[in-house]
Amino acid sequence: EASCMVGARFPSILRQKLLDDAFPPVALQESINDCHDIVVENGITSGCTAGVILIFRNRLYTANCGDARAVLCRKGKAVRLSVDH
């Protein structure tokens, strides 16, 4: 239930923050926090994880929460794009 709600709302929340000229790493963090608040406000007790990769103005940004990880395959080698927290 939480993952469906977050999946449906996260893109538009992030998009609006970027349109409002938020710095991309801040926009990612705030969007994740906003989605958390929406889940809590709706009384949803299940959780979800997320790994997000954003390419914005030719730069790549990543964010993760829970046990999700982002990895890039470059010339057959795994390159870590996120750090566990």
Side-chain angles (χ1 to χ4, degrees):
E1 192 174 2
S3 61
C4 290
M5 183 172 285
V6 170
R9 300 213 181 158
F10 182 84
S12 61
I13 292 170
L14 177 60
R15 181 178 183 275
Q16 188 58 55
K17 290 186 183 299
L18 293 170
L19 288 172
D20 292 341
D21 287 328
F23 184 52
V26 173
L28 284 166
Q29 182 63 54
E30 288 179 353
S31 298
I32 290 170
N33 291 342
D34 289 355
C35 285
H36 171 77
D37 292 344
I38 291 167
V39 168
V40 170
E41 289 166 5
N42 282 276
I44 298 171
T45 57
S46 64
C48 63
T49 63
V52 181
I53 296 174
L54 169 67
I55 299 173
F56 185 73
R57 296 184 179 151
N58 292 324
R59 296 196 99 174
L60 186 137
Y61 302 91
T62 65
N64 64 304
C65 60
D67 61 359
R69 294 185 179 111
V71 179
L72 171 74
C73 181
R74 180 182 285 155
K75 297 180 182 179
K77 304 276 185 187
V79 178
R80 177 190 288 196
L81 297 180
S82 61
V83 178
D84 293 349
H85 52 91

